[in-house]
Amino acid sequence: MPILPPSGFIFFPRTRGILAAAVCAASMFIAGCQTQPEFRPLTSEAPPPPTFVTVPSEETCQPAQARYALGQALDPLLLEQMRTRTGSKSARTSAVGAPLPVPADPARLNVDVDPQGRITAARCG
């Protein structure tokens, strides 16, 4: 007589896997409900927010801060340093005595350059 596996609901292979998963999920749920939460005081542990560079307003162009460059040969790096130190939004060069275009911008640095390429004056407008 052949040996037959025992009959019943629990002895089906698929049923055993489902039952094992249900028992595992139930035990994890019960264990999660029984753990005590860790006490954390209500203080800010986050780092302070980053600081951003403010865009200079029209009133902040200070041509006196560009005096260090008078007499020096103009190059793009020096022009950018002058723009940064004066707090202006933009900078442009012009020949000494040349008329500037009509739309004046109080936040722009104007640098006058002589024919040899040396800075003779700096002003805003």
Side-chain angles (χ1 to χ4, degrees), residues 51-61 83-84 86-90 105 107-108:
T51 56
F52 296 99
V53 176
T54 56
V55 176
S57 64
E58 293 180 1
E59 296 84 29
T60 61
C61 182
R83 187 198 64 79
T84 304
T86 59
S88 59
K89 291 181 184 178
S90 61
D105 182 5
R108 178 175 41 218

Side-chain angles (χ1 to χ4, degrees), residues 6-62:
S7 62
F9 179 74
I10 297 178
F11 296 107
F12 292 120
R14 183 172 180 204
T15 306
R16 275 188 268 172
I18 293 172
L19 184 62
V23 170
C24 182
S27 64
M28 292 179 85
F29 177 74
I30 292 171
C33 292
Q34 292 180 353
T35 58
Q36 296 294 327
E38 182 182 325
F39 176 73
R40 292 190 298 169
L42 298 175
T43 60
S44 174
E45 296 176 5
T51 56
F52 296 99
V53 176
T54 56
V55 176
S57 64
E58 293 180 1
E59 296 84 29
T60 61
C61 182
Q62 301 170 355

